Amino acid sequence: MNTTRPAWEARGAGRHAVDAGRQHNDDAACRAARRRLHLMASGGLWRDTGWGRRAILDQPAIPDIDFLDLLLDAICIVDAQDRFVWISPAGERIFGYTPAEMIGRRVCEFVLPGDEARTREHIERIKAGEDQTNFENRYRRKDGGIVHLMWSARWSEADQVRVAVAHDVTRLREAKSVQSALYSISEAAHTAEDLDDLFSRIHAIISHLLPAANFCVALLDARAQLIEYPYCADERGGAPRTTTIDADTLGARVIRTGTHLLLAPENFDEWPASIRQLKDSGTRYWLGAPLKLDDRTIGALIVKSYEGGLTYTESDLELLEFVSTQVAQAIERKRLYLRLRHMAHHDSLTGLANRRQLEARMASAFAAADGRDIRVALLYLDLDGFKDINDTYSHEIGDALLQAVAHRLNDTLRESSTVARLGGDEFAVLVDELATSGDAYAVVNRIQDMFATPFTIAGHALRVTPSIGVAVYPDDADTAETLLQHADRAMYDVKRYSRPASASR
């Protein structure tokens, strides 16, 4: 029988630690492995004197203690197939699993999916002989929490194992991540184009704090007492339906009470039947954090997972709640900005574009038409008979009539056209991408037909007719100001002669 020892046995502590780990139930073997690692780390030199017998040269005086039990960092030995073969006692404190639960399983079974690819790349560099230090990734603990680890590792070609030390940096990383998230949320409030863009950015930011593939923003319409879901990313598709504030749903409960909520499999049965139905639909965990501004709640952030998916803990809920205040402020700032921007570019009575917005749209349309054989038409409208209606029925009826005209114009014209109110009973319509100047008069005819039906306002059937002047770019003018002037003059020509007129005639 061949009694030759493998190379790793002759080299001492490292591989004996592997054997001791594989026989983790053998207390004596484990103590021996810890003793050998302790001595090696302390400078002791080993000489092989046969199986089970070691002579220690230059051995320092070391107390007979199980020092590995005192280490806060975990020492892991992994074979060439990336399976754990030995883990020091600190591993259970860090990963939440006993050594027996991890030994024999592949490393990436425990790595967070988002970090798996770069972890594999890191492992390959170690196997290629590169000593690796300060590599960071995230592992999923047995209790569902996430642990951030910093690794140092070295590969033993002769033994075909790598020895790695894992240092838990979770608190440090979470603190830095939260600080970075708060800054990013504040920045997003200023740079996002609109609320949809802001919600998408917030989702991405929160996903760096905790896994949030299924994420919703719920907002309360305080006037209508309705809860809407303007943003929802869900792996099973579809946003929750709009509900009233007093609905028996988790989102409504969080917003109504202004308190956070974690629903987990172990407490599903404590809730009413309507909420227990979530479990039947496959929901496993549900987290909700209220969006608060001072003493009022404007909505909620919601994260959830389905059966077979992620586990969430109170620490995840704490992170979500911590950033929710900043998110609420970001949403409010963006809403205010959008309202101010809308007011600056739209008529307050009708919601149509104002003169400033119209001129900006004209400049864009002109730029698009330049160098192409197309025309841009501007129609200038004045409502004949409006003053009499305003004086006869009241200014409130007159305002309602202007709103009805604006609504009907928007419904009649194509979406790419711009309808603007210039003041009083004067409107403008910008029509781009016309093949000829004559095409503008087809739009005039549609508008005139639109006014053939009376407007019903507060029980009154009111009739007004438009005088419409037409000017065409670049035939009649080459700037927004001069085109408006041409169209205005054309409109007064129509009033005088009661027929459509073009500024070029």
Side-chain angles (χ1 to χ4, degrees):
M1 181 177 66
N2 184 2
T3 60
T4 302
R5 298 282 188 266
W8 55 264
E9 290 187 7
R11 276 183 293 276
R15 193 58 180 239
H16 279 290
V18 176
D19 277 349
R22 285 173 174 163
Q23 302 173 37
H24 53 84
N25 290 324
D26 186 337
D27 292 339
C30 288
R31 283 196 299 272
R34 287 193 292 267
R35 177 71 172 163
R36 288 194 292 276
L37 282 171
H38 188 178
L39 289 171
M40 185 174 69
S42 303
L45 301 178
W46 295 84
R47 177 168 56 82
D48 191 353
T49 60
W51 178 253
R53 296 187 301 278
R54 298 287 181 181
I56 304 172
L57 306 179
D58 303 322
Q59 175 183 336
I62 300 171
D64 188 12
I65 59 174
D66 289 339
F67 77 97
L68 289 178
D69 288 340
L70 303 178
L71 293 180
L72 296 178
D73 293 346
I75 301 173
C76 303
I77 300 180
V78 182
D79 65 17
Q81 288 73 46
D82 297 327
R83 293 186 176 90
F84 288 106
V85 295
W86 185 81
I87 303 171
S88 68
E92 185 169 355
R93 293 192 291 271
I94 290 176
F95 299 106
Y97 294 92
T98 65
E101 291 174 312
M102 295 186 71
I103 289 172
R105 295 174 65 180
R106 295 186 183 276
V107 169
C108 285
E109 292 182 42
F110 303 92
V111 175
L112 214 62
D115 292 352
E116 186 173 340
R118 61 189 189 86
T119 298
R120 292 187 185 278
E121 293 175 3
H122 174 73
I123 290 171
E124 292 306 314
R125 288 197 295 270
I126 296 172
K127 289 181 179 179
E130 298 180 28
D131 293 342
Q132 296 289 311
T133 59
N134 301 327
F135 172 77
E136 293 188 34
N137 63 359
R138 297 169 296 170
Y139 278 63
R140 175 66 71 179
R141 286 176 47 87
K142 185 177 181 179
D143 62 8
I146 296 173
V147 59
H148 296 249
L149 298 178
M150 178 182 289
W151 293 89
S152 296
R154 172 175 287 181
W155 175 255
S156 172
E157 182 65 28
D159 299 331
Q160 290 292 290
V161 296
R162 66 178 181 272
V163 179
V165 178
H167 179 59
D168 187 349
V169 293
T170 302
R171 289 186 180 275
L172 176 63
R173 290 297 165 259
E174 285 183 349
K176 288 186 175 181
S177 294
V178 168
Q179 184 179 19
S180 176
L182 295 180
Y183 173 80
S184 298
I185 291 168
S186 179
E187 183 181 39
H190 295 287
T191 59
E193 182 64 26
D194 50 31
L195 282 174
D196 288 341
D197 187 23
L198 176 63
F199 297 147
S200 179
R201 294 188 189 202
I202 288 172
H203 184 193
I205 292 166
I206 289 177
S207 293
H208 282 90
L209 293 177
L210 69 157
N214 301 296
F215 174 80
C216 287
V217 177
L219 293 180
L220 172 65
D221 182 339
R223 182 176 299 176
Q225 289 293 284
L226 295 175
I227 298 173
E228 299 173 331
Y229 295 83
Y231 180 89
C232 189
D234 194 300
E235 63 189 75
R236 299 196 177 181
R241 60 183 177 84
T242 298
T243 65
T244 59
I245 186 63
D246 58 355
D248 191 15
T249 65
L250 292 175
R253 184 182 294 265
V254 170
I255 295 173
R256 189 169 57 244
T257 63
T259 57
H260 63 266
L261 177 64
L262 169 61
L263 195 66
E266 57 268 22
N267 62 12
F268 259 108
D269 293 339
E270 302 171 8
W271 292 88
S274 59
I275 292 177
R276 291 201 303 271
Q277 291 176 358
L278 285 173
K279 187 175 182 180
D280 298 333
S281 68
T283 300
R284 188 182 182 207
Y285 285 86
W286 193 98
L287 290 75
L291 294 170
K292 289 186 173 182
L293 286 172
D294 299 324
D295 59 346
R296 60 192 177 97
T297 301
I298 66 168
L301 300 179
I302 298 168
V303 175
K304 65 180 178 179
S305 66
Y306 292 104
E307 289 295 338
L310 297 169
T311 298
Y312 291 107
T313 65
E314 287 289 345
S315 63
D316 295 316
L317 182 59
E318 289 172 5
L319 280 174
L320 190 65
E321 186 175 27
F322 190 83
V323 300
S324 65
T325 299
Q326 190 79 0
V327 171
Q329 293 171 353
I331 291 173
E332 194 69 3
R333 283 200 299 270
K334 181 54 65 176
R335 280 173 158 175
L336 176 60
Y337 169 76
L338 292 173
R339 282 197 296 269
L340 292 174
R341 188 175 71 174
H342 188 273
M343 288 170 60
H345 294 90
H346 293 80
D347 173 58
S348 59
L349 176 64
T350 63
L352 297 177
N354 60 14
R355 182 181 291 267
R356 177 187 297 177
Q357 178 79 332
L358 175 65
E359 290 176 350
R361 296 280 179 86
M362 290 169 71
S364 298
F366 295 169
D370 288 342
R372 301 166 59 198
D373 189 21
I374 60 173
R375 300 291 184 269
V376 178
L378 181 68
L379 282 54
Y380 205 114
L381 286 74
D382 181 84
L383 303 183
D384 299 328
F386 175 78
K387 184 178 184 304
D388 291 339
I389 291 173
N390 207 39
D391 293 342
T392 301
Y393 293 99
S394 77
H395 292 293
E396 289 76 13
I397 295 294
D399 287 347
L401 176 58
L402 293 174
Q403 291 171 335
V405 169
H407 181 74
R408 198 177 286 186
L409 282 169
N410 269 330
D411 284 350
T412 301
L413 301 173
R414 68 188 188 188
E415 194 170 325
S416 63
S417 299
T418 298
V419 182
R421 182 181 177 220
L422 302 179
D425 61 345
E426 293 184 343
F427 296 82
V429 176
L430 181 69
V431 186
D432 59 0
E433 299 286 336
L434 296 176
T436 68
S437 299
D439 292 339
Y441 291 93
V443 181
V444 170
N445 291 335
R446 285 207 305 275
I447 294 174
Q448 288 174 332
D449 290 343
M450 178 199 87
F451 278 92
T453 302
F455 295 87
T456 302
I457 308 293
H460 304 288
L462 306 178
R463 291 183 178 274
V464 289
T465 57
S467 294
I468 305 175
V470 179
V472 177
Y473 174 90
D475 302 15
D476 301 322
D478 57 5
T479 68
E481 183 180 359
T482 54
L483 196 69
L484 273 166
Q485 292 172 354
H486 276 272
D488 187 26
R489 286 197 297 268
M491 182 268 293
Y492 279 105
D493 286 344
V494 171
K495 279 187 175 295
R496 284 197 299 270
Y497 301 112
S498 299
R499 60 180 177 80
S502 169
S504 60
R505 294 187 174 120

